[in-house]
PDB file of all heavy atoms in Angstrom:
ATOM      1  N   GLY T 182      18.537 144.138 163.886  1.00 93.00           N
ATOM      2  CA  GLY T 182      18.009 144.980 164.866  1.00 93.00           C
ATOM      3  C   GLY T 182      16.617 145.292 164.697  1.00 93.00           C
ATOM      4  O   GLY T 182      15.766 145.199 165.601  1.00 93.00           O
ATOM      5  N   GLY T 183      16.115 145.690 163.455  1.00 94.00           N
ATOM      6  CA  GLY T 183      14.834 145.965 163.258  1.00 94.00           C
ATOM      7  C   GLY T 183      13.838 144.927 163.503  1.00 94.00           C
ATOM      8  O   GLY T 183      12.809 145.077 163.993  1.00 94.00           O
ATOM      9  N   GLN T 184      14.273 143.786 163.017  1.00 95.00           N
ATOM     10  CA  GLN T 184      13.423 142.578 163.282  1.00 95.00           C
ATOM     11  C   GLN T 184      13.319 142.188 164.686  1.00 95.00           C
ATOM     12  O   GLN T 184      12.292 141.953 165.294  1.00 95.00           O
ATOM     13  CB  GLN T 184      14.081 141.367 162.555  1.00 95.00           C
ATOM     14  CG  GLN T 184      13.919 141.557 161.051  1.00 95.00           C
ATOM     15  CD  GLN T 184      14.709 140.367 160.350  1.00 95.00           C
ATOM     16  OE1 GLN T 184      15.646 139.932 160.754  1.00 95.00           O
ATOM     17  NE2 GLN T 184      14.189 140.033 159.181  1.00 95.00           N
ATOM     18  N   GLN T 186      13.416 144.323 167.086  1.00 96.00           N
ATOM     19  CA  GLN T 186      12.587 145.235 167.811  1.00 96.00           C
ATOM     20  C   GLN T 186      11.139 144.977 167.520  1.00 96.00           C
ATOM     21  O   GLN T 186      10.139 145.110 168.231  1.00 96.00           O
ATOM     22  CB  GLN T 186      12.966 146.710 167.406  1.00 96.00           C
ATOM     23  CG  GLN T 186      12.270 147.726 168.214  1.00 96.00           C
ATOM     24  CD  GLN T 186      12.654 147.685 169.755  1.00 96.00           C
ATOM     25  OE1 GLN T 186      12.286 146.735 170.361  1.00 96.00           O
ATOM     26  NE2 GLN T 186      13.309 148.692 170.274  1.00 96.00           N
ATOM     27  N   ARG T 187      10.829 144.452 166.258  1.00 95.00           N
ATOM     28  CA  ARG T 187       9.515 144.144 165.944  1.00 95.00           C
ATOM     29  C   ARG T 187       9.093 142.866 166.823  1.00 95.00           C
ATOM     30  O   ARG T 187       7.859 142.763 167.115  1.00 95.00           O
ATOM     31  CB  ARG T 187       9.361 143.877 164.402  1.00 95.00           C
ATOM     32  CG  ARG T 187       9.476 145.192 163.613  1.00 95.00           C
ATOM     33  CD  ARG T 187       9.119 144.924 162.153  1.00 95.00           C
ATOM     34  NE  ARG T 187      10.341 144.629 161.329  1.00 95.00           N
ATOM     35  CZ  ARG T 187      10.161 143.995 160.184  1.00 95.00           C
ATOM     36  NH1 ARG T 187       8.982 143.749 159.651  1.00 95.00           N
ATOM     37  NH2 ARG T 187      11.289 143.561 159.596  1.00 95.00           N
ATOM     38  N   ILE T 190       8.060 144.117 170.021  1.00 96.00           N
ATOM     39  CA  ILE T 190       6.637 144.756 170.072  1.00 96.00           C
ATOM     40  C   ILE T 190       5.602 143.630 170.064  1.00 96.00           C
ATOM     41  O   ILE T 190       4.746 143.702 170.843  1.00 96.00           O
ATOM     42  CB  ILE T 190       6.467 145.601 168.780  1.00 96.00           C
ATOM     43  CG1 ILE T 190       7.477 146.829 168.809  1.00 96.00           C
ATOM     44  CG2 ILE T 190       5.129 146.126 168.635  1.00 96.00           C
ATOM     45  CD1 ILE T 190       7.449 147.620 167.550  1.00 96.00           C
ATOM     46  N   PRO T 206      12.562 153.419 171.001  1.00 94.00           N
ATOM     47  CA  PRO T 206      12.503 152.139 170.406  1.00 94.00           C
ATOM     48  C   PRO T 206      13.412 152.046 169.205  1.00 94.00           C
ATOM     49  O   PRO T 206      13.713 150.940 168.778  1.00 94.00           O
ATOM     50  CB  PRO T 206      11.032 151.872 169.974  1.00 94.00           C
ATOM     51  CG  PRO T 206      10.433 153.262 169.839  1.00 94.00           C
ATOM     52  CD  PRO T 206      11.203 154.024 170.927  1.00 94.00           C
ATOM     53  N   THR T 207      13.745 153.220 168.545  1.00 93.00           N
ATOM     54  CA  THR T 207      14.612 153.158 167.310  1.00 93.00           C
ATOM     55  C   THR T 207      16.011 153.740 167.568  1.00 93.00           C
ATOM     56  O   THR T 207      16.801 153.862 166.649  1.00 93.00           O
ATOM     57  CB  THR T 207      13.905 153.973 166.247  1.00 93.00           C
ATOM     58  OG1 THR T 207      13.817 155.421 166.718  1.00 93.00           O
ATOM     59  CG2 THR T 207      12.611 153.333 165.791  1.00 93.00           C
ATOM     60  N   LEU T 210      18.863 151.419 166.597  1.00 92.00           N
ATOM     61  CA  LEU T 210      18.771 150.879 165.267  1.00 92.00           C
ATOM     62  C   LEU T 210      19.713 151.388 164.232  1.00 92.00           C
ATOM     63  O   LEU T 210      19.850 152.595 164.332  1.00 92.00           O
ATOM     64  CB  LEU T 210      17.376 150.822 164.721  1.00 92.00           C
ATOM     65  CG  LEU T 210      16.361 149.955 165.623  1.00 92.00           C
ATOM     66  CD1 LEU T 210      14.976 150.146 165.134  1.00 92.00           C
ATOM     67  CD2 LEU T 210      16.678 148.561 165.593  1.00 92.00           C
ATOM     68  N   MET T 214      16.828 150.556 159.272  1.00 91.00           N
ATOM     69  CA  MET T 214      15.891 149.668 159.960  1.00 91.00           C
ATOM     70  C   MET T 214      14.812 150.460 160.749  1.00 91.00           C
ATOM     71  O   MET T 214      13.852 149.860 161.294  1.00 91.00           O
ATOM     72  CB  MET T 214      16.603 148.845 160.889  1.00 91.00           C
ATOM     73  CG  MET T 214      17.460 147.791 160.117  1.00 91.00           C
ATOM     74  SD  MET T 214      18.486 146.882 161.215  1.00 91.00           S
ATOM     75  CE  MET T 214      19.428 145.885 160.036  1.00 91.00           C
ATOM     76  N   ILE T 215      15.035 151.828 160.795  1.00 93.00           N
ATOM     77  CA  ILE T 215      14.086 152.582 161.661  1.00 93.00           C
ATOM     78  C   ILE T 215      12.770 152.585 161.212  1.00 93.00           C
ATOM     79  O   ILE T 215      11.760 152.380 161.840  1.00 93.00           O
ATOM     80  CB  ILE T 215      14.633 154.113 161.848  1.00 93.00           C
ATOM     81  CG1 ILE T 215      16.014 154.029 162.631  1.00 93.00           C
ATOM     82  CG2 ILE T 215      13.659 154.937 162.357  1.00 93.00           C
ATOM     83  CD1 ILE T 215      16.734 155.267 162.674  1.00 93.00           C
ATOM     84  N   LYS T 216      12.709 152.773 159.845  1.00 92.00           N
ATOM     85  CA  LYS T 216      11.305 152.920 159.219  1.00 92.00           C
ATOM     86  C   LYS T 216      10.419 151.623 159.514  1.00 92.00           C
ATOM     87  O   LYS T 216       9.222 151.751 159.765  1.00 92.00           O
ATOM     88  CB  LYS T 216      11.485 153.018 157.830  1.00 92.00           C
ATOM     89  CG  LYS T 216      10.046 153.403 157.112  1.00 92.00           C
ATOM     90  CD  LYS T 216      10.234 153.926 155.634  1.00 92.00           C
ATOM     91  CE  LYS T 216       8.931 154.255 154.998  1.00 92.00           C
ATOM     92  NZ  LYS T 216       8.029 153.041 155.006  1.00 92.00           N
ATOM     93  N   GLU T 217      10.975 150.374 159.446  1.00 92.00           N
ATOM     94  CA  GLU T 217      10.130 149.262 159.511  1.00 92.00           C
ATOM     95  C   GLU T 217       9.521 149.160 160.923  1.00 92.00           C
ATOM     96  O   GLU T 217       8.431 148.696 161.090  1.00 92.00           O
ATOM     97  CB  GLU T 217      10.940 148.038 159.135  1.00 92.00           C
ATOM     98  CG  GLU T 217      12.215 147.797 160.097  1.00 92.00           C
ATOM     99  CD  GLU T 217      13.026 146.588 159.799  1.00 92.00           C
ATOM    100  OE1 GLU T 217      13.480 146.635 158.515  1.00 92.00           O
ATOM    101  OE2 GLU T 217      13.238 145.634 160.527  1.00 92.00           O
ATOM    102  N   VAL T 218      10.279 149.750 161.963  1.00 94.00           N
ATOM    103  CA  VAL T 218       9.802 149.694 163.291  1.00 94.00           C
ATOM    104  C   VAL T 218       8.706 150.818 163.340  1.00 94.00           C
ATOM    105  O   VAL T 218       7.649 150.641 164.137  1.00 94.00           O
ATOM    106  CB  VAL T 218      10.896 149.874 164.343  1.00 94.00           C
ATOM    107  CG1 VAL T 218      10.337 150.101 165.763  1.00 94.00           C
ATOM    108  CG2 VAL T 218      11.857 148.677 164.308  1.00 94.00           C
ATOM    109  N   LEU T 219       9.094 151.938 162.923  1.00 94.00           N
ATOM    110  CA  LEU T 219       8.143 153.093 163.017  1.00 94.00           C
ATOM    111  C   LEU T 219       6.702 152.768 162.308  1.00 94.00           C
ATOM    112  O   LEU T 219       5.613 153.154 162.744  1.00 94.00           O
ATOM    113  CB  LEU T 219       8.654 154.337 162.360  1.00 94.00           C
ATOM    114  CG  LEU T 219       9.813 154.938 163.225  1.00 94.00           C
ATOM    115  CD1 LEU T 219      10.218 156.229 162.439  1.00 94.00           C
ATOM    116  CD2 LEU T 219       9.338 155.247 164.558  1.00 94.00           C
ATOM    117  N   ASP T 220       6.747 152.060 161.174  1.00 93.00           N
ATOM    118  CA  ASP T 220       5.652 151.598 160.437  1.00 93.00           C
ATOM    119  C   ASP T 220       4.752 150.743 161.339  1.00 93.00           C
ATOM    120  O   ASP T 220       3.562 150.913 161.415  1.00 93.00           O
ATOM    121  CB  ASP T 220       6.004 150.814 159.131  1.00 93.00           C
ATOM    122  CG  ASP T 220       6.566 151.768 158.044  1.00 93.00           C
ATOM    123  OD1 ASP T 220       6.334 152.918 158.180  1.00 93.00           O
ATOM    124  OD2 ASP T 220       7.011 151.218 157.072  1.00 93.00           O
ATOM    125  N   VAL T 221       5.349 149.750 162.022  1.00 94.00           N
ATOM    126  CA  VAL T 221       4.579 148.890 162.874  1.00 94.00           C
ATOM    127  C   VAL T 221       4.007 149.759 163.912  1.00 94.00           C
ATOM    128  O   VAL T 221       2.819 149.523 164.301  1.00 94.00           O
ATOM    129  CB  VAL T 221       5.538 147.872 163.484  1.00 94.00           C
ATOM    130  CG1 VAL T 221       4.845 147.141 164.640  1.00 94.00           C
ATOM    131  CG2 VAL T 221       5.981 146.880 162.482  1.00 94.00           C
ATOM    132  N   MET T 222       4.750 150.669 164.539  1.00 95.00           N
ATOM    133  CA  MET T 222       4.193 151.492 165.559  1.00 95.00           C
ATOM    134  C   MET T 222       3.008 152.399 165.039  1.00 95.00           C
ATOM    135  O   MET T 222       2.060 152.533 165.734  1.00 95.00           O
ATOM    136  CB  MET T 222       5.292 152.507 166.229  1.00 95.00           C
ATOM    137  CG  MET T 222       6.274 151.663 167.122  1.00 95.00           C
ATOM    138  SD  MET T 222       7.728 152.533 167.417  1.00 95.00           S
ATOM    139  CE  MET T 222       7.030 153.958 168.309  1.00 95.00           C
ATOM    140  N   GLN T 223       3.070 152.874 163.799  1.00 94.00           N
ATOM    141  CA  GLN T 223       2.069 153.705 163.313  1.00 94.00           C
ATOM    142  C   GLN T 223       0.742 152.907 163.090  1.00 94.00           C
ATOM    143  O   GLN T 223      -0.347 153.348 163.403  1.00 94.00           O
ATOM    144  CB  GLN T 223       2.473 154.280 161.975  1.00 94.00           C
ATOM    145  CG  GLN T 223       1.528 155.197 161.401  1.00 94.00           C
ATOM    146  CD  GLN T 223       2.049 156.168 160.410  1.00 94.00           C
ATOM    147  OE1 GLN T 223       3.241 156.180 160.111  1.00 94.00           O
ATOM    148  NE2 GLN T 223       1.197 156.985 159.890  1.00 94.00           N
TER     149      GLN T 223
END
Side-chain angles (χ1 to χ4, degrees):
Chain T
Q184 291 172 330
Q186 193 60 298
R187 286 189 277 163
I190 293 173
T207 56
L210 293 177
M214 294 168 185
I215 291 176
K216 188 172 178 301
E217 63 188 53
V218 172
L219 291 180
D220 285 349
V221 168
M222 288 167 61
Q223 181 158 6

